[in-house]
């Protein structure tokens, strides 16, 4: 009875493993290691051929943000940065009064410190929006939320930052479409004394010469 033909094992034990593909990508045999760019090594390692490896990229140093609205030295002191920005936007008299009230109220002192840090140190001081834009957004948000007790102070702040009474009026009227007419009407009433006082002062001021 004829014996079956013996087929030789194409990959005997101990033989070197070669890539299946032919052509330029085919590399030399390796001792069982995965093939990488025609040279033995770990999968995913970059290959630099026979030349030296490139120098590592330098570490990126993040410079402290300086908004330009406070002295540059304050950019390295977040507390001083926030305090300076708060005074520029709200005015010294408002901040002095608020700090005196906070000092006299130990119950809410920690909350006020947190609110000032989040507001002036982490939000208003961010790049991406100028202070006038942030001021108009604040007026809009206060109108939508019905926070009338905050609106007068931020109307004064907007005028300090160069926002015109016309821009404030248009902002509140635009907010009426989304906040509702009653909310916008209440906002107009809260802001009107500040805008009127500003316009009166401007009308009474001597004409500036170029």
């Amino acid at each position: 009875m004829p014996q079956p033909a013996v087929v030789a094992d194409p990959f005997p034990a101990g033989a070197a493993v070669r890539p299946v593909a032919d052509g330029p990508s085919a590399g030399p045999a390796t001792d069982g290691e995965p093939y990488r760019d025609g040279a033995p090594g770990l999968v995913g390692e970059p290959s630099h051929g026979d030349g030296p490896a490139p120098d590592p990229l330098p570490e990126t140093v993040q410079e402290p943000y300086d908004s330009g609205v406070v002295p540059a030295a304050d950019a390295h002191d977040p507390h001083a940065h926030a305090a300076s920005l708060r005074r520029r936007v709200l005015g010294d008299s408002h901040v002095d009064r608020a700090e005196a009230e906070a000092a006299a109220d130990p119950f809410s002192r920690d909350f006020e410190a947190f609110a000032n840090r989040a507001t002036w140190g982490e939000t208003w001081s961010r790049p991406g929006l100028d202070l006038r834009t942030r001021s108009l957004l604040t007026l809009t948000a206060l109108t939508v939320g019905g926070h009338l007790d905050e609106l007068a102070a931020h109307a004064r702040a907007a005028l300090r930052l160069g926002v015109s009474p016309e821009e404030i009026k248009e902002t509140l009227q635009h907010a009426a479409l989304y906040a509702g007419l009653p909310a916008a009407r209440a906002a107009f009433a809260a802001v009107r004394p500040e805008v009127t006082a500003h316009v009166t002062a401007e009308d009474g001021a001597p004409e500036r010469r170029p």
Side-chain angles (χ1 to χ4, degrees), residues 89-90 94 97 151-161 168 194:
V89 174
L90 296 178
H94 176 94
R97 183 171 60 254
L151 266 169
H154 279 282
R156 285 196 305 272
L159 294 167
R160 285 174 57 84
L161 294 172
I168 292 177
E194 301 299 331

Side-chain angles (χ1 to χ4, degrees), residues 22-208:
D22 296 326
S25 62
T30 68
D31 295 332
E33 295 183 358
Y35 172 73
R36 173 187 60 81
D37 284 352
L42 298 177
V43 172
E45 282 190 1
S47 173
H48 307 295
D50 296 332
D55 294 334
L57 295 175
E59 296 183 0
T60 301
V61 178
Q62 182 67 37
E63 294 293 336
Y65 169 67
D66 182 6
S67 67
V69 300
V70 295
D74 289 345
H76 301 283
D77 184 347
H79 178 74
H81 186 116
S84 297
L85 181 56
R86 184 188 184 196
R87 287 184 176 276
R88 176 182 178 183
V89 174
L90 296 178
D92 288 335
S93 60
H94 176 94
V95 174
D96 289 342
R97 183 171 60 254
E99 289 182 346
E101 292 174 354
D105 182 10
F107 179 71
S108 60
R109 187 180 302 155
D110 290 344
F111 168 76
E112 291 298 335
F114 157 75
N116 288 329
R117 182 173 63 253
T119 301
W120 306 107
E122 300 175 7
T123 305
W124 275 77
S125 59
R126 287 177 56 83
L129 291 175
D130 59 74
L131 295 181
R132 294 177 75 262
T133 301
R134 291 187 184 277
S135 185
L136 292 175
L137 287 172
T138 301
L139 292 177
T140 303
L142 293 174
T143 299
V144 173
H147 305 299
L148 303 180
D149 52 339
E150 298 276 349
L151 266 169
H154 279 282
R156 285 196 305 272
L159 294 167
R160 285 174 57 84
L161 294 172
V163 176
S164 69
E166 183 70 18
E167 289 173 314
I168 292 177
K169 182 183 74 173
E170 287 299 323
T171 297
L172 298 182
Q173 186 161 325
H174 187 85
L177 296 175
Y178 306 95
L181 294 177
R185 183 174 290 109
F188 268 99
V191 167
R192 185 180 296 110
E194 301 299 331
V195 173
T196 301
H198 175 81
V199 172
T200 301
E202 288 288 309
D203 290 343
E207 183 178 354
R208 295 181 181 178

